[in-house]
Amino acid sequence: MRFSDLKEREVINCKDCKRLGFVSDLVFDSCNGKVEALIVPGPGKFFGCFCPVTEYVIKFCHIVRIGPDIILVDIDLVETLEKKKEH
């Protein structure tokens, strides 16, 4: 599976059936090349612009299923929401 395939899938939280958005980035371990987390823009984002700089960082272990159209995750939204790091 390619990263471009993941970006086309919507992320849904199983705990409350909330739509979180679409995958915008991945976090991976550079030593072993394994995906550690998915990054989804936080609430209120409009194409990554015009809103606060927050994002959901969803660890790979919290992914329940990757389907043809959606990615199901099981997360606590408050714990997963992080401020974006400024570069």
Side-chain angles (χ1 to χ4, degrees):
M1 178 179 295
R2 295 177 181 226
F3 176 63
S4 59
D5 295 333
L6 285 178
K7 287 185 82 164
E8 296 173 0
R9 291 180 170 90
E10 189 169 24
V11 180
I12 310 253
N13 190 7
C14 290
K15 283 193 178 184
D16 58 5
C17 298
K18 234 182 179 178
R19 292 171 33 179
L20 303 178
F22 293 87
V23 177
S24 65
D25 208 351
L26 296 175
V27 176
F28 68 95
D29 184 344
S30 59
C31 293
N32 62 21
K34 291 185 180 181
V35 175
E36 291 183 350
L38 300 177
I39 306 293
V40 177
K45 285 274 193 167
F46 183 70
F47 297 109
C49 304
F50 309 119
C51 294
V53 285
T54 56
E55 57 192 13
Y56 295 109
V57 179
I58 304 165
K59 293 184 180 181
F60 192 77
C61 63
H62 293 283
I63 297 173
V64 176
R65 167 127 12 221
I66 298 176
D69 298 326
I70 62 172
I71 299 172
L72 295 176
V73 297
D74 189 10
I75 59 169
D76 180 9
L77 292 179
V78 176
E79 293 176 6
T80 309
L81 193 61
E82 294 183 3
K83 278 199 174 253
K84 230 182 200 178
K85 295 177 181 119
E86 296 295 326
H87 298 279

